[in-house]
Amino acid sequence: MIARCVSLPATRAIALTLLLGLSSIAGMVRAAPATYRIDPEHFSIGFLVSHIGYERLLGQFLEGEGEFVYDEATRVLGKGRIEIAADSVFTNHDARDSHVRGGDFLAAGRYPAIVFEPTRLITEDGRHGTLTGDLTLRGQTHPVTLEVTLNKAAVYPFGHKAYTLGVSARTALSRSRWGMTYGVADGLVGDEVEVLLEFEAIRQ
């Protein structure tokens, strides 16, 4: 009787220790940084810029790709790179698109890639925060800061059915900082460009 009373708590203690150990290991697995690759079918790259003060022209870049390392448990962002094809710019007007691809603006023939390399993510509440990084455009690199929202993160309900993170990001750039001064002085084209990014990134 005495032996049974002693062994039962001991057994429970051993089981509890094993359970805690397994939980700790599972937590470590969940906390491990993972590579996320942006799904090109769900990558929207838009911009808005003043056109002679009459409107804010909406344009897009139709081709982009990227990936980054991210630890969802700690909200720590690691190495990453987003690359946008400069000649994929689209404003729904052929002549204007050719002009934007040329030397007055993107100089896409000489600098075919627009590159953003993130350096740090700071979240205020686990979902909203700021993302800093370096933007290379027309061969010049300058730091930028984006306001970001971390949207839904879950297993995709159909298709690839992989774990996916959705992100919304916004920033405003002074294009003249990258040498695009055409139309600024006479007010033909605004200097400030609002950039809008929406994407889904698949965990690899």
Side-chain angles (χ1 to χ4, degrees):
M1 180 69 70
I2 294 173
R4 290 174 62 186
C5 291
V6 171
S7 63
L8 185 57
T11 303
R12 286 177 177 170
I14 293 170
L16 181 59
T17 301
L18 289 173
L19 181 61
L20 290 173
L22 290 172
S23 297
S24 176
I25 293 170
M28 292 173 63
V29 171
R30 285 196 300 272
T35 297
Y36 288 77
R37 186 167 298 146
I38 296 176
D39 182 355
E41 296 181 0
H42 297 95
F43 190 11
S44 299
I45 310 155
F47 62 88
L48 287 161
V49 61
S50 174
H51 182 246
I52 329 177
Y54 289 106
E55 66 161 334
R56 297 181 74 213
L57 179 72
L58 175 62
Q60 292 179 276
F61 289 93
L62 302 180
E63 296 177 18
E65 62 182 16
E67 65 178 41
F68 53 90
V69 176
Y70 177 61
D71 189 328
E72 187 177 2
T74 61
R75 307 291 185 187
V76 173
L77 181 68
K79 181 179 177 182
R81 180 183 176 92
I82 293 176
E83 189 168 313
I84 298 167
D87 64 0
S88 71
V89 67
F90 174 77
T91 67
N92 201 32
H93 189 282
D94 290 343
R96 179 170 56 221
D97 290 350
S98 295
H99 188 194
V100 174
R101 292 185 188 106
D104 287 335
F105 293 97
L106 298 173
R110 185 176 181 184
Y111 306 105
I114 301 168
V115 177
F116 176 70
E117 295 179 291
T119 54
R120 189 179 185 191
L121 172 68
I122 301 175
T123 59
E124 302 161 0
D125 57 6
R127 286 197 63 229
H128 306 90
T130 57
L131 174 65
T132 55
D134 296 319
L135 178 66
T136 301
L137 177 62
R138 288 174 54 101
Q140 299 182 39
T141 302
H142 298 288
V144 298
T145 299
L146 299 93
E147 299 296 323
V148 298
T149 299
L150 303 175
N151 301 317
K152 184 176 181 178
V155 174
Y156 216 67
F158 50 80
H160 55 71
K161 295 185 178 180
Y163 192 84
T164 302
L165 170 66
V167 178
S168 301
R170 305 286 186 273
T171 193
L173 309 173
S174 294
R175 62 185 176 89
S176 59
R177 193 179 185 189
W178 283 266
M180 290 181 283
T181 58
Y182 176 89
V184 172
D186 54 15
L188 286 176
V189 184
D191 188 23
E192 182 179 275
V193 180
E194 183 180 354
V195 179
L196 308 90
L197 301 174
E198 297 282 339
F199 62 83
E200 298 175 5
I202 302 171
R203 189 167 66 186
Q204 303 302 295

